[in-house]
Amino acid sequence: MHIDDALTARKSIRAFRPDPVPLSLVTEILEIASRAPSGTNIQPWKVHVVAGETRLRLEAEVLAHRETQPADEGAEFPRTSKRKEPYITRMRTLGKEMYSLLGIPKGDKEANWRQWGRNYQFFDAPVGLIFTLDKDLDAMSFIDIGILMQSIMLAAKARGLDTCAQGAWNNYWSVTRRVLGVPEDEYIICGMSLGYADESAPVNTLVAEREPLSDFVTFHGFD
């Protein structure tokens, strides 16, 4: 698949088939994605890849903890959530379209709670990835992890697999740390689902809008 095709075809998938993904294919994707650039080549990323019984245990324990701790623990690392326009409108537009496809009406808190919990099942993907980062590193290393994640998503798409990056995994991080044995000196940043898309699921027809270049690009020095 040409890189342009992978970029165009990639989208966040929120319903996966149970078909297993061979370890050899996961390894191949991670190997090629490891060519991602990082500031001064420090390659700060750590990736925990879960499948099989370990994935099921992680999901079960996070979901059980979530029921007893209904309020998110919040991200383990410092961040702000001060969103303003136009970001709020973009977020709400995506949410409205997605929940419409899921058949969840506005204000149905119980259905919303269940759907959000699907994050902690990796949307039924057979493989989940959890990304962590050394706590001593600065904000630039978060950029490096983002570049690695995009590389993984494109490498996966080029091989017929789909993904969904999941910020939800930086909540309830205490359980994830315990189950996967993540060292205390690493932040749990986010997760990612990896597998084969369930093409019959309406939610997977969602294609998020993209803003035109005129909204975010300023050209300097061109004739």
Side-chain angles (χ1 to χ4, degrees), residues 18-69:
D19 309 47
V21 180
L23 175 59
S24 59
L25 184 52
V26 177
T27 300
E28 180 181 324
I29 290 168
L30 293 171
E31 285 278 7
I32 194 67
S34 72
R35 300 302 306 171
S38 59
T40 62
N41 197 38
I42 65 169
Q43 305 171 65
W45 42 70
K46 303 287 180 63
V47 187
H48 295 258
V49 185
V50 296
E53 291 300 319
T54 302
R55 194 206 85 200
L56 294 176
R57 180 190 168 201
L58 175 63
E59 294 173 5
E61 295 200 24
V62 169
L63 286 171
H65 180 74
R66 180 174 178 259
E67 292 302 320
T68 62
Q69 303 287 336

Side-chain angles (χ1 to χ4, degrees), residues 14 22 48 50 53 74 83 96 139 144-145 157 166 177-178 191 198 214:
R14 296 179 175 87
H48 295 258
V50 296
E53 291 300 319
R83 290 182 176 173
K96 182 179 180 180
D144 297 335
I145 282 191
K157 190 63 189 173
Q166 298 172 264
R177 181 181 302 285
R178 173 172 52 79
D198 179 355
S214 58

